[in-house]
Amino acid sequence: LRILLGTFLLTGCVVGSAVIVNTVYKDVEEFERLYKIRATAFNVLDFGAISVMLSARFAYNSSVTLKVFQGNPAVMWSCVIVAVLQVLLTYIPGLNTFVFSMKGMDGLGWGLTIASMVFVFTAMEIEKAIRRSLKASGADTDDREGVVDPLPPVDMSMPKGASKLNLQELAK
């Protein structure tokens, strides 16, 4: 369910931001308008992916805490690297226009990017809060049964010859 939710949220934010930019800049030359739409959609998608990653840091617990950056240095580094690369790709002349067919964003583009990031993160956190509530009432919230994420039974027994490796068999 989380994968579907994240996919639909990001898709909706990208399409929604493109529609907003297209509407606001309807009087601008089509070539310039397309560059603005691409830049905004590109940044909305990548910064939205950052928010999904931050929310997914904890499966059930809230990620609305600074603990989301603790315990795994890759979290902070990946956020910084992606954000810096996005800004560079958006503003380096030639790279942004020739390779990515976009131009630097204005306040509207960054506003849509930040709003989308907050929206996606908030929606993912609401989904986790609902899961926590359902789990506390005894419902199965692990996506192990049902239509969304059906998992086939898996044989977890050790293969022949594995006993020589002193491996432990997984509990069923």
Side-chain angles (χ1 to χ4, degrees), residues 1 29 39 44 61 74 80 90 100 109 116 120 137 143-144 151:
L1 183 61
E29 183 181 328
V44 163
N61 296 334
V80 169
T90 303
F100 292 100
S116 295
V120 169
S137 67
D143 287 341
R144 299 204 188 277
L151 295 175

Side-chain angles (χ1 to χ4, degrees), residues 9 26 56 64 76 81 87 96 98 110 113 130 161:
L9 288 171
K26 67 178 181 249
V64 185
M76 177 64 86
I81 290 168
V87 171
N96 64 352
F98 183 72
W110 283 113
T113 299
I130 293 168

Side-chain angles (χ1 to χ4, degrees), residues 26-72:
K26 67 178 181 249
D27 297 330
V28 175
E29 183 181 328
E30 183 180 4
F31 180 74
E32 290 291 321
R33 192 170 64 242
L34 285 174
Y35 273 31
K36 287 181 179 291
I37 291 170
R38 287 183 191 127
T40 303
F42 187 47
N43 281 282
V44 163
L45 182 62
D46 276 359
F47 281 97
I50 289 174
S51 65
V52 170
M53 185 264 307
L54 290 174
S55 178
R57 179 81 169 85
F58 303 122
Y60 282 98
N61 296 334
S62 174
S63 293
V64 185
T65 175
L66 291 178
K67 289 182 181 180
V68 77
F69 296 108
Q70 297 171 348
N72 186 351

Side-chain angles (χ1 to χ4, degrees), residues 1-8 60 124 127 131 140-154:
L1 183 61
R2 290 177 196 169
I3 294 170
L4 287 174
L5 179 63
T7 302
F8 286 127
Y60 282 98
M124 298 297 283
E127 183 264 347
R131 279 181 179 254
D140 175 24
T141 60
D142 292 328
D143 287 341
R144 299 204 188 277
E145 299 173 3
V147 179
V148 177
D149 293 330
L151 295 175
V154 178

